[in-house]
Amino acid sequence: MTERVTERLAFLRARSYRDTRGDSLPTLPLPPDECPDAALSARLFAAACDAEQPVFYGEDFFGFNRFQKRTVRGLGGFGNITVDFESYLAEGLSGVRARIEHRLPTADEKGRAFLQAGLACLQACEALAEKVRRAAAAQNRTALAGALARVPMQGARDYYEALVAHKFLTYVLRLNNTTHVTFGRFDQYMLPYYRRSLAAGATRDELLELTELFFIAQNFDTDLYPGVQQGDNGQSVMLGGCDRDGNNAYNELTELCLDASEELSLIDPKINLRVDKNTPLSVYERATKLTKRGLGFPQYSNDDVVIPALCRVGYDLADARDYTVAACWEFIVPGCAADVVNIGVMNYPAVVARTTEKFLASSPDFETFLSHTEDEMHAECDDIIAKVNAYQYHRKRGAQPFVSLFIRPCIERGRDVVDGGAKYNNLGIHGVGLSTAADALAAIRQTVFEEKSVSAKALYDALAADFEEQEDLRERLLSCPKMGNNDDRADALGGFLMDCFSKYLNNHPTEGGGRYRAGTGSAMEYIKSAEKIGTTADGRKAGTPYACAFSPSPDARVNGPLSVIQSFTKNNMTGLPNGGPLTMELHDTVFRNEQGEKKVAQLVQAFIACGGEQLQLNAINRDRLLRAKRDPASDRNLIVRVWGWSGYFCELDPCYQDHIIRRTEYVFN
Amino acid sequence: MQGRIFSVEEFSTYDGPGIRMTFFLKGCPLRCSWCHNPEGQQFSTEWVRGQNGCLQCGACVRAAADPNRLDENSAAACPRRLVRPCGKDLTPEELCAQVRKNAAILNASGGGVTFSGGEPTAQMPFLLACLASLRGVTHRAVQTAGYVDGAQFSALLDVCDFFLYDLKLMDGALHRRFCGVDNAPILENYRRLAASGVPFITRVPLIPTVTDTRENLAAIARFAAQNGVRDVELLPYNRMAGGKYAGLLRRYAPDFDETVPVRPKAECLEIFSACGLRATVL
């Protein structure tokens, strides 16, 4: 790391820069439903831009830090997407403006309202960028002022200009309250600028330093973007993978980003890596060095599974090949999708519990019980769909003219993203508690139907009593087959449940003309939804958490990583395009030397070879977590993977801290 | 035929080449003062209390017939159900079936199966049967202290692909004091192993003031060099070694001062390189 980077890191960690922010926002009258139309949205956006003041943090190469603590009421609210960085960097805002002006004369009334609002937003952007440029020039920040003479209005010419333009756009999108704007395929859309700078004489080391400074800049202001928990801010980057024609697109910038992230050990941006069955071990070894740092990333996704999965729900092949992730793990297509990837949740254990309550006593055999389960799964899907329809997600959000300018083909269609302007308008449903539900079915099959050692009534009573005075029965249920032990008796039931969910859901059109997409993710629901669910037949006590996303239940004793990998790869995943990773904790001593690192890399490679969809690994030390929980001040920079993102352990709510500590009880070492 | 194991690890990273599945066989003729797997010493099945989540309520001890040993009554009495039997009996066929389920991943990484302990050669018929039935399934390694009859050890050499062989103390008296047995058979079997042509790694635990003395390390280095060995692995003593004793209601009482730091890495490497050996510290 260069001295300059070291200094910036120290400056960031001191955190004192946050004390100078303003808290004086203009308010504009909102309509009764608080959903502004296009013109009002543009006025609100312009007011937000106008209220900003140039803020530079020390030796700041990118600027565009937040002045106002809060965002203007009524703005935005649509997010967890990624925008068309590629076109924006190439054409600049004036290019966007030219496309709007070209479209305006032929637009209908609705289109004119959207496009004119878009023009007003661009004008506000231009004024804000100019304000910052003048301030930079006045403070002799010549590099930044020079770049701002060109971007964001004109296309970027080199790597530095592209980075400044990038910083500008993500900053104004935040002002627009477009939350969780993920960075998408950074190593692809930045590559031409990177190569141009190299060709113009910059060295790799200089560009690595620049990248590091840019990454550091993403860690300022994250306190303003807390998401559900601090750290859940959506600043995900996707690296590697193939291009839109299917050619390998892992490149020199991919490696440079991995280097930068490893050296910095910061939680932003959060690294994702696309791999496939042909990815060489050296790439996994490179990426394992990040895991070793305890960052909880890279999160891996398997092109061999994800691309066919996206195609099956209607994404064009070239778009599917271009996939990235939303804030956590949900697969999205950059720049042309207004997908809402977390609009609902399938709570598997709730369905199994309900089926148990209604049909266990009357089912003559397990097959009958399973067919009732299938019916209940379908009923649950219908219920989820009805709730989604009633919720009216897009209409509740009001017009989004600004972000729509960066989602294709909103301008050409003359339609806002909330009005069907985007190419894709699909809705993702998480699937939470799969392992708990599959384990419950496996326990019911073994104890009630095969051994006949427990009657339906006895089981039902024990569940109602939360195993009070019935620890022996609970022990018996806990010793039944569990997902995670490479035991078909449990794994096949997991596959059955996923099929019930995905085959039914994915065939349903949405009201907006899109498709539903089933997933294996949980977001925070592994704690939140689980709290409401009583005792389950796998032996889980009432209200206790499920596994995070697609992982063995916290109540299951599992043999080890090889069994876990095989359990969670043996079912076909191409019906689950919404994503959701297997999460595994490895003890940090595994990474002690290169021998250990290589074996971790081989383990990841094995997961991909087995057909796994998505994987995140935590290098973790239980004692360190316990100490940090007791004495947060002793370890303020300890980073952990929470669900689809990494955060500072000490900034998490205790319930998430406890879940992570619990996951380490069976840590593999 | 059945053997007895006390643990299986599916992803052990320091038990031989590649990703390895390691079976820990129960029972050991040695009683090393620094033993960190005390549950591997007795052949008989024991009841062990898990430490994570223990409320320290004492119910397990109160319920036990013998207050010095946990039993099934302790298991029933524990409110957290942390007392579990340690020791599982299984046939070579059952063990082989477990390995087969993971063989594709093990083999793709250039790894395989490792038998450790305890002392795996203490269950020699079972060990030989397992190794024979795993021929052609995956790479087979044995981690041993070599304290076993020479003829039996020679039979083992024919069915094993790789050894991890521990050398602790070269002085017979010290070996008897700190490991409980004489080292003559260990040294003899080491010579057999070296002469057999079966590949192996020599491993030396670095126990402060016991095995990490200049005399002992130099003697090990000379002995290894005489046997044509070029590489050794050194395992520094881990202060966590005593962590498992409480679960067996035993007190960890090492016969040396564990607070003394292990001899610095550079010095250790230098002692070995003086005999032409390359040492690595794990």
Side-chain angles (χ1 to χ4, degrees):
Chain A
M1 246 186 297
T2 63
E3 203 172 307
R4 181 180 270 163
V5 171
T6 314
E7 275 172 27
R8 293 299 287 165
L9 269 181
F11 183 84
L12 171 72
R13 293 203 163 117
R15 289 177 167 83
S16 57
Y17 57 87
R18 290 174 180 170
D19 303 339
T20 55
R21 292 192 181 123
D23 193 12
S24 53
L25 278 177
T27 49
L28 294 178
L30 295 176
D33 64 356
E34 303 209 355
C35 289
D37 62 10
L40 180 54
S41 284
R43 287 219 308 284
L44 292 167
F45 177 70
C49 290
D50 195 47
E52 279 295 291
Q53 296 296 329
V55 175
F56 303 103
Y57 291 141
E59 198 196 5
D60 191 332
F61 283 82
F62 302 99
F64 301 112
N65 302 295
R66 280 281 287 276
F67 174 67
Q68 297 290 353
K69 270 183 202 169
R70 284 180 289 172
T71 49
V72 171
R73 195 159 149 261
L75 254 184
F78 178 84
N80 210 5
I81 43 130
T82 188
V83 295
D84 183 7
F85 283 110
E86 188 182 336
S87 308
Y88 157 70
L89 293 173
E91 67 185 0
L93 293 180
S94 56
V96 177
R97 179 185 285 159
R99 282 194 286 127
I100 298 176
E101 284 168 346
H102 175 77
R103 182 69 181 87
L104 250 178
T106 53
D108 58 11
E109 191 182 339
K110 220 174 186 180
R112 276 199 304 279
F114 158 55
L115 294 168
Q116 273 159 352
L119 286 177
C121 291
L122 292 181
Q123 201 178 345
C125 285
E126 187 169 16
L128 178 53
E130 175 59 14
K131 183 158 66 179
V132 174
R133 187 196 66 77
R134 279 202 304 268
Q139 296 178 27
N140 291 321
R141 299 174 186 275
T142 45
L144 180 58
L148 287 174
R150 172 87 191 174
V151 295
M153 295 314 292
Q154 310 301 315
R157 291 168 303 188
D158 61 21
Y159 191 49
Y160 177 58
E161 286 183 357
L163 292 173
V164 172
H166 190 290
K167 185 80 175 69
F168 174 80
L169 184 59
T170 52
Y171 160 78
V172 286
L173 283 167
R174 296 284 199 180
L175 290 183
N176 189 52
N177 198 25
T178 305
T179 54
H180 293 90
V181 187
T182 79
F183 292 179
R185 304 187 70 187
F186 187 85
D187 63 341
Q188 305 303 316
Y189 60 71
M190 280 291 176
L191 187 63
Y193 307 99
Y194 175 80
R195 285 186 175 158
R196 230 175 277 167
S197 286
L198 276 183
T203 65
R204 183 190 192 268
D205 282 349
E206 286 164 359
L207 299 184
L208 174 64
E209 181 190 57
L210 199 53
T211 306
E212 291 183 342
L213 295 170
F214 179 76
F215 281 8
I216 291 171
Q218 308 309 325
N219 290 269
F220 291 104
D221 292 346
T222 49
D223 58 317
L224 299 178
Y225 316 133
V228 180
Q229 283 278 293
Q230 194 66 49
D232 171 25
N233 55 33
Q235 298 190 125
S236 309
V237 160
M238 177 60 87
L239 302 175
C242 63
D243 64 17
R244 293 173 62 84
D245 298 320
N247 306 305
N248 180 20
Y250 184 95
N251 60 53
E252 64 265 34
L253 188 53
T254 316
E255 299 220 322
L256 186 111
C257 291
L258 292 171
D259 286 348
S261 183
E262 185 199 344
E263 286 193 0
L264 296 173
S265 288
L266 292 169
I267 60 174
D268 286 295
K270 303 166 215 308
I271 307 290
N272 286 263
L273 186 63
R274 281 176 50 175
V275 289
D276 63 34
K277 60 180 179 300
N278 298 318
T279 301
L281 184 63
S282 59
V283 170
Y284 296 106
E285 288 182 296
R286 183 71 207 72
T288 299
K289 291 189 182 302
L290 265 70
T291 308
K292 179 184 183 174
R293 299 302 289 259
L295 298 166
F297 54 66
Q299 173 172 255
Y300 298 91
S301 51
N302 185 354
D303 285 7
D304 298 328
V305 177
V306 177
I307 293 170
L310 289 168
C311 288
R312 275 182 63 178
V313 285
Y315 293 87
D316 292 344
L317 179 59
D319 289 333
R321 284 172 172 157
D322 202 24
Y323 80 89
T324 180
V325 284
C328 297
W329 46 58
E330 305 89 344
F331 302 114
I332 56 172
V333 176
C336 62
D339 297 347
V340 184
V341 293
N342 54 359
I343 201 161
V345 182
M346 162 59 73
N347 188 338
Y348 288 106
V351 177
V352 171
R354 195 165 67 226
T355 315
T356 306
E357 199 177 323
K358 282 162 76 173
F359 298 109
L360 183 59
S362 64
S363 293
D365 50 39
F366 187 63
E367 286 61 44
T368 310
F369 183 71
L370 270 192
S371 91
H372 286 305
T373 308
E374 183 166 9
D375 293 343
E376 289 294 323
M377 286 290 297
H378 295 165
E380 184 75 10
C381 288
D382 289 338
D383 195 42
I384 291 169
I385 291 167
K387 271 190 201 136
V388 168
N389 290 341
Y391 184 59
Q392 300 274 316
Y393 181 91
H394 289 104
R395 238 169 276 170
K396 271 221 175 98
R397 268 168 178 69
Q400 309 284 333
F402 182 57
V403 67
S404 300
L405 303 181
F406 306 96
I407 305 281
R408 294 186 313 268
C410 288
I411 294 175
E412 287 68 24
R413 275 189 189 159
R415 286 290 180 274
D416 190 305
V417 283
V418 292
D419 212 9
K423 182 172 181 183
Y424 299 107
N425 298 278
N426 300 327
L427 301 177
I429 309 292
H430 289 312
V432 63
L434 177 76
S435 50
T436 297
D439 294 352
L441 287 177
I444 288 170
R445 175 164 62 194
Q446 181 166 321
T447 58
V448 178
F449 291 103
E450 287 175 0
E451 299 170 355
K452 301 190 194 305
S453 58
V454 182
S455 71
K457 175 156 190 334
L459 179 66
Y460 185 71
D461 290 347
L463 297 181
D466 200 23
F467 301 120
E468 201 66 43
E469 308 278 314
Q470 308 210 44
E471 273 297 323
D472 288 336
L473 174 55
R474 183 176 179 225
E475 279 293 306
R476 245 187 298 160
L477 296 170
L478 285 171
S479 67
C480 288
K482 304 288 178 212
M483 272 191 95
N485 281 328
N486 191 15
D487 184 336
D488 290 344
R489 291 174 297 170
D491 300 338
L493 291 168
F496 165 81
L497 288 168
M498 288 193 289
D499 279 353
C500 288
F501 175 36
S502 64
K503 285 187 176 153
Y504 191 80
L505 183 87
N506 292 356
N507 285 321
H508 273 74
T510 70
E511 278 198 335
R515 296 274 296 267
Y516 280 97
R517 350 182 307 169
T520 49
S522 64
M524 63 287 193
E525 301 296 337
Y526 65 105
I527 288 180
K528 218 176 100 185
S529 292
E531 276 172 359
K532 292 173 263 174
I533 304 303
T535 317
T536 42
D538 60 318
R540 171 187 151 278
K541 300 274 270 179
T544 58
Y546 308 145
C548 184
F550 187 53
S551 310
S553 156
D555 295 287
R557 288 182 160 265
V558 294
N559 299 333
L562 306 188
S563 294
V564 171
I565 279 179
Q566 292 175 94
S567 259
F568 286 84
T569 54
K570 71 172 64 154
N571 294 304
N572 187 331
M573 300 299 288
T574 56
L576 296 143
N578 210 52
L582 168 64
T583 302
M584 289 203 299
E585 275 72 36
L586 296 174
H587 199 272
D588 60 2
T589 52
V590 166
F591 300 82
R592 197 162 48 195
N593 60 24
E594 276 183 21
Q595 220 182 79
E597 283 172 40
K598 183 178 175 190
K599 292 176 189 187
V600 174
Q602 290 176 319
L603 189 68
V604 178
Q605 195 175 37
F607 173 80
I608 300 299
C610 289
E613 185 176 29
Q614 202 170 22
L615 176 71
Q616 55 187 26
L617 288 177
N618 250 335
I620 220 159
N621 183 319
R622 179 181 169 86
D623 294 329
R624 189 173 170 196
L625 295 175
L626 290 170
R627 203 163 47 236
K629 192 181 176 203
R630 254 193 332 268
D631 180 12
S634 71
D635 210 352
R636 273 210 326 187
N637 290 311
L638 172 60
I639 293 170
V640 288
R641 194 75 176 171
V642 188
W643 58 87
W645 47 275
S646 300
Y648 290 103
F649 182 75
C650 297
E651 293 178 356
L652 301 175
D653 278 353
C655 65
Y656 293 105
Q657 292 183 334
D658 290 342
H659 193 274
I660 289 164
I661 289 171
R662 179 146 190 232
R663 291 197 317 230
T664 66
E665 282 183 18
Y666 303 115
V667 73
F668 304 125
N669 57 11
Chain B
M1 187 204 299
Q2 282 195 322
R4 184 167 294 160
I5 61 171
F6 66 91
S7 179
V8 187
E9 275 184 18
E10 283 194 341
F11 183 63
S12 58
T13 41
Y14 300 102
D15 292 333
I19 295 178
R20 303 206 74 85
M21 187 173 182
T22 301
F23 290 87
F24 294 85
L25 273 61
K26 201 155 160 42
C28 182
L30 275 64
R31 286 293 176 273
C32 301
S33 179
W34 53 83
C35 180
H36 65 280
N37 279 335
E39 76 278 32
Q41 293 179 348
Q42 302 283 349
F43 177 72
S44 59
T45 294
E46 298 165 275
W47 292 83
V48 182
R49 183 179 64 207
Q51 301 301 295
N52 289 340
C54 176
L55 305 169
Q56 307 290 335
C57 66
C60 54
V61 179
R62 283 195 300 278
D66 171 353
N68 297 310
R69 205 163 48 215
L70 299 172
D71 55 25
E72 60 255 304
N73 300 327
S74 315
C78 174
R80 300 293 305 271
R81 297 286 162 141
L82 294 173
V83 178
R84 293 179 180 274
C86 173
K88 184 178 184 310
D89 294 347
L90 77 179
T91 64
E93 294 70 39
E94 287 166 339
L95 184 146
C96 192
Q98 285 189 38
V99 176
R100 278 180 194 278
K101 285 183 93 172
N102 294 329
I105 298 178
L106 299 174
N107 294 342
S109 76
V113 63
T114 299
F115 293 88
S116 182
E119 170 53 56
T121 60
Q123 297 185 46
M124 189 61 95
F126 174 70
L127 179 62
L128 291 173
C130 290
L131 289 167
S133 60
L134 287 166
R135 183 192 300 273
V137 175
T138 194
H139 178 264
R140 303 158 298 172
V142 167
Q143 175 161 34
T144 180
Y147 189 77
V148 63
D149 169 73
Q152 289 193 28
F153 189 76
S154 294
L156 183 60
L157 290 172
D158 295 336
V159 287
C160 187
D161 304 311
F162 190 79
F163 281 85
L164 299 124
Y165 201 104
D166 290 359
L167 289 178
K168 293 163 174 135
L169 283 161
M170 290 303 288
D171 181 275
L174 288 175
H175 200 278
R176 281 190 296 278
R177 177 179 158 200
F178 284 101
C179 302
V181 297
D182 191 61
N183 64 1
I186 293 173
L187 303 182
E188 244 171 71
N189 283 329
Y190 188 79
R191 289 191 195 97
R192 281 193 185 91
L193 173 59
S196 72
V198 179
F200 67 100
I201 290 177
T202 306
R203 283 194 160 170
V204 181
L206 295 175
I207 311 300
T209 73
V210 183
T211 67
D212 75 341
T213 62
R214 190 166 280 279
E215 306 74 60
N216 184 52
L217 293 181
I220 288 177
R222 279 194 303 273
F223 178 65
Q226 282 162 15
N227 284 285
V229 168
R230 312 218 54 87
D231 297 279
V232 293
E233 289 184 353
L234 310 178
L235 291 88
Y237 179 70
N238 180 354
R239 287 287 301 278
M240 305 291 283
K244 289 177 169 180
Y245 284 77
L248 291 160
L249 304 189
R250 286 171 56 183
R251 201 169 61 85
Y252 179 55
D255 192 12
F256 57 91
D257 184 355
E258 62 163 350
T259 62
V260 175
V262 163
R263 178 175 299 278
K265 179 178 170 179
E267 282 183 40
C268 295
L269 300 188
E270 182 268 316
I271 294 169
F272 282 91
S273 68
C275 291
L277 271 74
R278 196 178 51 196
T280 342
V281 177
L282 283 190

